[in-house]
Amino acid sequence: MKYYSGVDLGGTNTKIGLCNEEGKILLSSSIKTDSIHGVENTLQRIWIEIQNQLRKVNIKKENLFGIGIGIPGPVKGQSIVGFFANFPWEKNMNLKEKMEVLTGIKTLVDNDVNVIAQGEAIFGAARGHKSSITVALGTGIGGGIFIDGKLISGMSGAGGEIGHMKVVPDGKLCGCGQKGCFEAYASATGMIREALSRLYVNKLNALYEKFQGNYETLEAKDIFEAAAAGDVFSQEIVDYEAEYLAMGIGNLLNIINPEVVVLGGGIALAKEQILEPVRQKIRKYALEITLENLEIKTGILGNEAGILGAAALFMVS
């Protein structure tokens, strides 16, 4: 039996799992890895945890056939060509080589949302389908496109960065520095920003009653909860979110025409509360033929998606 380590590398929280060749996670854990301390420190801590996991399940190092790593930002030729998270690491750094020198184990690297998409495509919500798009709805919007058993990474490694397609000409400022991005409207950050702009002029609602003007801890889940409880103000914000999600996903359907769209991240935790209005609104934006037999669903793997998808870099390479 061959074994692989899947690593979902975050800025301060990294998820690591030991998987077998059948895609079963034998052991998983989460460790703190403050990227500001540098790449060598981060990789060393990851390697220590991988060895700890091997010892716990009594697997020898020589039976570990690969380490897959998902990293924020585009990856080209196993080199990091840019970061979309707060990583003060040098660009064009070959993370594969650094990890292989440290561990002696073959390593493969890809974008973190790409590997999440791969995890859902091979083992999760899109299993059994040839084409799927995974949309990760968190602080920003990440995406992964999986077609005929392969991730679409593009010429420069930026394929699948769907959060930065434009939905409004010269619209709201995005964290990438451009304006009008899908991410600026349909991410959790975009949803909260819209809620705050409305809260400045409307105080007759459940969110104001709850927070009394102190919105530092306001989250998307607060809006969904208030909407589910019947607060009209919050329902209108959910409707705003669904409208832009439908627009963005509709654009993707017209270009990719996948069998499945998988929603992940914090906003997807609302499940049918967001899925149903998206399904209704998407007909305004997608060609009718792209909706035939289309499935729009939430991911089922949770934190395991990145682990399994990173390990699967060896299963599809």
Side-chain angles (χ1 to χ4, degrees), residues 4 31-32 64 84 106 125 127 129 146 152 160 174 196 233 262 297 305:
Y4 304 95
I31 64 171
K32 295 293 182 182
L64 184 66
F84 293 156
K106 184 178 179 181
R127 185 173 186 173
H129 296 279
F146 194 82
I152 305 300
C174 178
L196 292 174
F233 177 87
V262 179
K297 56 174 69 174

Side-chain angles (χ1 to χ4, degrees), residues 1-2 19-24 123 127 315:
M1 178 71 72
K2 293 182 179 181
C19 314
N20 64 20
E21 59 189 332
E22 297 172 348
K24 180 180 179 181
F123 304 108
R127 185 173 186 173
M315 303 173 194

Side-chain angles (χ1 to χ4, degrees), residues 208-226:
Y208 182 81
E209 290 175 8
K210 179 177 180 178
F211 290 94
Q212 293 294 308
N214 299 311
Y215 302 121
E216 291 84 359
T217 60
L218 175 66
E219 298 180 5
K221 69 176 183 178
D222 298 309
I223 301 170
F224 283 112
E225 288 173 359

